PDB file of all heavy atoms in Angstrom:
ATOM      1  N   LYS E  49      45.485  33.868  15.579  1.00 97.00           N
ATOM      2  CA  LYS E  49      44.228  33.787  16.332  1.00 97.00           C
ATOM      3  C   LYS E  49      43.078  33.332  15.384  1.00 97.00           C
ATOM      4  O   LYS E  49      42.190  32.550  15.797  1.00 97.00           O
ATOM      5  CB  LYS E  49      43.953  35.144  17.012  1.00 97.00           C
ATOM      6  CG  LYS E  49      44.763  35.365  18.197  1.00 97.00           C
ATOM      7  CD  LYS E  49      44.379  36.697  18.913  1.00 97.00           C
ATOM      8  CE  LYS E  49      45.287  36.882  20.163  1.00 97.00           C
ATOM      9  NZ  LYS E  49      44.999  38.075  20.845  1.00 97.00           N
ATOM     10  N   SER E  50      43.170  33.839  14.176  1.00 97.00           N
ATOM     11  CA  SER E  50      42.133  33.386  13.169  1.00 97.00           C
ATOM     12  C   SER E  50      42.140  31.931  12.825  1.00 97.00           C
ATOM     13  O   SER E  50      41.173  31.317  12.562  1.00 97.00           O
ATOM     14  CB  SER E  50      42.191  34.241  11.936  1.00 97.00           C
ATOM     15  OG  SER E  50      43.248  33.891  11.166  1.00 97.00           O
ATOM     16  N   ARG E  51      43.364  31.316  12.979  1.00 96.00           N
ATOM     17  CA  ARG E  51      43.549  29.900  12.732  1.00 96.00           C
ATOM     18  C   ARG E  51      43.492  29.068  14.024  1.00 96.00           C
ATOM     19  O   ARG E  51      43.621  27.853  13.965  1.00 96.00           O
ATOM     20  CB  ARG E  51      44.885  29.719  12.024  1.00 96.00           C
ATOM     21  CG  ARG E  51      44.981  30.376  10.676  1.00 96.00           C
ATOM     22  CD  ARG E  51      46.324  30.085  10.028  1.00 96.00           C
ATOM     23  NE  ARG E  51      46.372  30.713   8.701  1.00 96.00           N
ATOM     24  CZ  ARG E  51      47.520  30.833   7.976  1.00 96.00           C
ATOM     25  NH1 ARG E  51      48.615  30.257   8.434  1.00 96.00           N
ATOM     26  NH2 ARG E  51      47.514  31.421   6.884  1.00 96.00           N
ATOM     27  N   HIS E  52      43.251  29.704  15.082  1.00 96.00           N
ATOM     28  CA  HIS E  52      43.087  29.069  16.380  1.00 96.00           C
ATOM     29  C   HIS E  52      44.321  28.229  16.748  1.00 96.00           C
ATOM     30  O   HIS E  52      44.194  27.179  17.300  1.00 96.00           O
ATOM     31  CB  HIS E  52      41.869  28.237  16.444  1.00 96.00           C
ATOM     32  CG  HIS E  52      40.588  28.927  16.057  1.00 96.00           C
ATOM     33  ND1 HIS E  52      40.015  29.883  16.942  1.00 96.00           N
ATOM     34  CD2 HIS E  52      39.845  28.923  14.964  1.00 96.00           C
ATOM     35  CE1 HIS E  52      38.947  30.448  16.394  1.00 96.00           C
ATOM     36  NE2 HIS E  52      38.870  29.819  15.159  1.00 96.00           N
ATOM     37  N   TYR E  53      45.484  28.818  16.559  1.00 96.00           N
ATOM     38  CA  TYR E  53      46.688  28.124  16.960  1.00 96.00           C
ATOM     39  C   TYR E  53      46.824  28.166  18.467  1.00 96.00           C
ATOM     40  O   TYR E  53      46.369  29.100  19.166  1.00 96.00           O
ATOM     41  CB  TYR E  53      47.980  28.707  16.369  1.00 96.00           C
ATOM     42  CG  TYR E  53      48.135  28.497  14.907  1.00 96.00           C
ATOM     43  CD1 TYR E  53      48.739  29.415  14.079  1.00 96.00           C
ATOM     44  CD2 TYR E  53      47.679  27.347  14.284  1.00 96.00           C
ATOM     45  CE1 TYR E  53      48.856  29.243  12.730  1.00 96.00           C
ATOM     46  CE2 TYR E  53      47.863  27.109  12.915  1.00 96.00           C
ATOM     47  CZ  TYR E  53      48.429  28.058  12.178  1.00 96.00           C
ATOM     48  OH  TYR E  53      48.580  27.830  10.789  1.00 96.00           O
ATOM     49  N   GLU E  54      47.504  27.180  18.966  1.00 93.00           N
ATOM     50  CA  GLU E  54      47.568  27.007  20.476  1.00 93.00           C
ATOM     51  C   GLU E  54      48.516  28.084  21.118  1.00 93.00           C
ATOM     52  O   GLU E  54      48.218  28.467  22.209  1.00 93.00           O
ATOM     53  CB  GLU E  54      48.185  25.590  20.796  1.00 93.00           C
ATOM     54  CG  GLU E  54      47.909  25.071  22.157  1.00 93.00           C
ATOM     55  CD  GLU E  54      48.198  23.679  22.348  1.00 93.00           C
ATOM     56  OE1 GLU E  54      47.627  22.886  21.617  1.00 93.00           O
ATOM     57  OE2 GLU E  54      49.037  23.400  23.247  1.00 93.00           O
ATOM     58  N   ARG E  55      49.541  28.464  20.427  1.00 94.00           N
ATOM     59  CA  ARG E  55      50.489  29.412  20.937  1.00 94.00           C
ATOM     60  C   ARG E  55      50.621  30.601  19.949  1.00 94.00           C
ATOM     61  O   ARG E  55      51.600  30.746  19.223  1.00 94.00           O
ATOM     62  CB  ARG E  55      51.862  28.793  21.147  1.00 94.00           C
ATOM     63  CG  ARG E  55      51.803  27.698  22.207  1.00 94.00           C
ATOM     64  CD  ARG E  55      53.094  26.961  22.404  1.00 94.00           C
ATOM     65  NE  ARG E  55      54.198  27.857  22.720  1.00 94.00           N
ATOM     66  CZ  ARG E  55      55.478  27.612  22.545  1.00 94.00           C
ATOM     67  NH1 ARG E  55      55.764  26.434  22.050  1.00 94.00           N
ATOM     68  NH2 ARG E  55      56.380  28.471  22.870  1.00 94.00           N
ATOM     69  N   PRO E  56      49.603  31.503  19.891  1.00 96.00           N
ATOM     70  CA  PRO E  56      49.582  32.548  18.824  1.00 96.00           C
ATOM     71  C   PRO E  56      50.765  33.575  19.007  1.00 96.00           C
ATOM     72  O   PRO E  56      51.289  34.067  18.003  1.00 96.00           O
ATOM     73  CB  PRO E  56      48.265  33.275  19.105  1.00 96.00           C
ATOM     74  CG  PRO E  56      47.833  32.863  20.436  1.00 96.00           C
ATOM     75  CD  PRO E  56      48.507  31.577  20.766  1.00 96.00           C
ATOM     76  N   GLU E  57      51.220  33.848  20.205  1.00 96.00           N
ATOM     77  CA  GLU E  57      52.344  34.763  20.420  1.00 96.00           C
ATOM     78  C   GLU E  57      53.656  34.279  19.873  1.00 96.00           C
ATOM     79  O   GLU E  57      54.411  34.976  19.226  1.00 96.00           O
ATOM     80  CB  GLU E  57      52.539  35.107  21.852  1.00 96.00           C
ATOM     81  CG  GLU E  57      51.410  35.944  22.530  1.00 96.00           C
ATOM     82  CD  GLU E  57      50.308  35.102  22.944  1.00 96.00           C
ATOM     83  OE1 GLU E  57      50.398  33.839  22.995  1.00 96.00           O
ATOM     84  OE2 GLU E  57      49.205  35.639  23.184  1.00 96.00           O
ATOM     85  N   CYS E  58      53.895  32.955  19.963  1.00 96.00           N
ATOM     86  CA  CYS E  58      55.093  32.332  19.412  1.00 96.00           C
ATOM     87  C   CYS E  58      55.019  32.361  17.817  1.00 96.00           C
ATOM     88  O   CYS E  58      55.986  32.807  17.193  1.00 96.00           O
ATOM     89  CB  CYS E  58      55.160  30.913  19.882  1.00 96.00           C
ATOM     90  SG  CYS E  58      56.616  30.071  19.207  1.00 96.00           S
ATOM     91  N   TYR E  59      53.862  32.080  17.303  1.00 96.00           N
ATOM     92  CA  TYR E  59      53.621  32.203  15.886  1.00 96.00           C
ATOM     93  C   TYR E  59      53.849  33.605  15.334  1.00 96.00           C
ATOM     94  O   TYR E  59      54.543  33.802  14.370  1.00 96.00           O
ATOM     95  CB  TYR E  59      52.252  31.683  15.382  1.00 96.00           C
ATOM     96  CG  TYR E  59      52.007  31.745  13.955  1.00 96.00           C
ATOM     97  CD1 TYR E  59      52.321  30.643  13.146  1.00 96.00           C
ATOM     98  CD2 TYR E  59      51.476  32.883  13.375  1.00 96.00           C
ATOM     99  CE1 TYR E  59      52.146  30.777  11.765  1.00 96.00           C
ATOM    100  CE2 TYR E  59      51.282  32.946  12.000  1.00 96.00           C
ATOM    101  CZ  TYR E  59      51.598  31.864  11.152  1.00 96.00           C
ATOM    102  OH  TYR E  59      51.430  31.961   9.786  1.00 96.00           O
ATOM    103  N   ALA E  60      53.355  34.497  16.103  1.00 96.00           N
ATOM    104  CA  ALA E  60      53.476  35.919  15.708  1.00 96.00           C
ATOM    105  C   ALA E  60      54.970  36.416  15.756  1.00 96.00           C
ATOM    106  O   ALA E  60      55.404  37.147  14.843  1.00 96.00           O
ATOM    107  CB  ALA E  60      52.625  36.790  16.653  1.00 96.00           C
ATOM    108  N   ARG E  61      55.673  35.909  16.689  1.00 96.00           N
ATOM    109  CA  ARG E  61      57.104  36.254  16.820  1.00 96.00           C
ATOM    110  C   ARG E  61      57.880  35.760  15.584  1.00 96.00           C
ATOM    111  O   ARG E  61      58.667  36.431  15.018  1.00 96.00           O
ATOM    112  CB  ARG E  61      57.695  35.694  18.054  1.00 96.00           C
ATOM    113  CG  ARG E  61      59.143  36.280  18.420  1.00 96.00           C
ATOM    114  CD  ARG E  61      59.601  35.750  19.712  1.00 96.00           C
ATOM    115  NE  ARG E  61      59.972  34.347  19.645  1.00 96.00           N
ATOM    116  CZ  ARG E  61      59.314  33.301  20.114  1.00 96.00           C
ATOM    117  NH1 ARG E  61      58.276  33.469  20.695  1.00 96.00           N
ATOM    118  NH2 ARG E  61      59.710  32.080  20.030  1.00 96.00           N
ATOM    119  N   VAL E  62      57.581  34.514  15.268  1.00 95.00           N
ATOM    120  CA  VAL E  62      58.345  33.940  14.110  1.00 95.00           C
ATOM    121  C   VAL E  62      57.865  34.627  12.770  1.00 95.00           C
ATOM    122  O   VAL E  62      58.656  34.858  11.898  1.00 95.00           O
ATOM    123  CB  VAL E  62      58.082  32.395  14.020  1.00 95.00           C
ATOM    124  CG1 VAL E  62      58.699  31.807  12.737  1.00 95.00           C
ATOM    125  CG2 VAL E  62      58.682  31.698  15.238  1.00 95.00           C
ATOM    126  N   PHE E  63      56.561  34.861  12.628  1.00 95.00           N
ATOM    127  CA  PHE E  63      56.016  35.568  11.568  1.00 95.00           C
ATOM    128  C   PHE E  63      56.691  36.883  11.369  1.00 95.00           C
ATOM    129  O   PHE E  63      57.108  37.312  10.254  1.00 95.00           O
ATOM    130  CB  PHE E  63      54.481  35.750  11.749  1.00 95.00           C
ATOM    131  CG  PHE E  63      53.824  36.408  10.543  1.00 95.00           C
ATOM    132  CD1 PHE E  63      53.239  35.657   9.497  1.00 95.00           C
ATOM    133  CD2 PHE E  63      53.719  37.793  10.515  1.00 95.00           C
ATOM    134  CE1 PHE E  63      52.704  36.261   8.466  1.00 95.00           C
ATOM    135  CE2 PHE E  63      53.126  38.428   9.426  1.00 95.00           C
ATOM    136  CZ  PHE E  63      52.536  37.684   8.344  1.00 95.00           C
ATOM    137  N   ALA E  64      56.873  37.680  12.432  1.00 95.00           N
ATOM    138  CA  ALA E  64      57.498  38.960  12.365  1.00 95.00           C
ATOM    139  C   ALA E  64      58.913  38.901  11.845  1.00 95.00           C
ATOM    140  O   ALA E  64      59.386  39.825  11.231  1.00 95.00           O
ATOM    141  CB  ALA E  64      57.433  39.643  13.720  1.00 95.00           C
ATOM    142  N   GLN E  65      59.580  37.809  12.225  1.00 95.00           N
ATOM    143  CA  GLN E  65      61.021  37.672  11.764  1.00 95.00           C
ATOM    144  C   GLN E  65      61.086  37.430  10.268  1.00 95.00           C
ATOM    145  O   GLN E  65      62.056  37.749   9.647  1.00 95.00           O
ATOM    146  CB  GLN E  65      61.693  36.484  12.504  1.00 95.00           C
ATOM    147  CG  GLN E  65      61.913  36.746  13.988  1.00 95.00           C
ATOM    148  CD  GLN E  65      62.337  35.530  14.771  1.00 95.00           C
ATOM    149  OE1 GLN E  65      62.348  34.416  14.229  1.00 95.00           O
ATOM    150  NE2 GLN E  65      62.684  35.729  16.032  1.00 95.00           N
ATOM    151  N   HIS E  66      60.075  36.785   9.725  1.00 95.00           N
ATOM    152  CA  HIS E  66      60.142  36.409   8.237  1.00 95.00           C
ATOM    153  C   HIS E  66      59.256  37.229   7.393  1.00 95.00           C
ATOM    154  O   HIS E  66      59.350  37.047   6.159  1.00 95.00           O
ATOM    155  CB  HIS E  66      59.635  34.916   8.196  1.00 95.00           C
ATOM    156  CG  HIS E  66      60.653  33.899   8.789  1.00 95.00           C
ATOM    157  ND1 HIS E  66      61.600  33.235   8.036  1.00 95.00           N
ATOM    158  CD2 HIS E  66      60.788  33.458  10.038  1.00 95.00           C
ATOM    159  CE1 HIS E  66      62.323  32.500   8.791  1.00 95.00           C
ATOM    160  NE2 HIS E  66      61.821  32.590  10.058  1.00 95.00           N
ATOM    161  N   ALA E  67      58.518  38.120   7.933  1.00 94.00           N
ATOM    162  CA  ALA E  67      57.456  38.860   7.156  1.00 94.00           C
ATOM    163  C   ALA E  67      58.152  40.011   6.415  1.00 94.00           C
ATOM    164  O   ALA E  67      59.131  40.601   6.813  1.00 94.00           O
ATOM    165  CB  ALA E  67      56.356  39.336   8.051  1.00 94.00           C
TER     166      ALA E  67
END
Side-chain angles (χ1 to χ4, degrees):
K49 286 182 178 180
S50 72
R51 295 179 182 173
H52 305 288
Y53 287 149
E54 200 169 303
R55 297 175 57 200
E57 291 81 14
C58 183
Y59 180 89
R61 188 177 74 260
V62 176
F63 183 90
Q65 292 170 353
H66 292 266

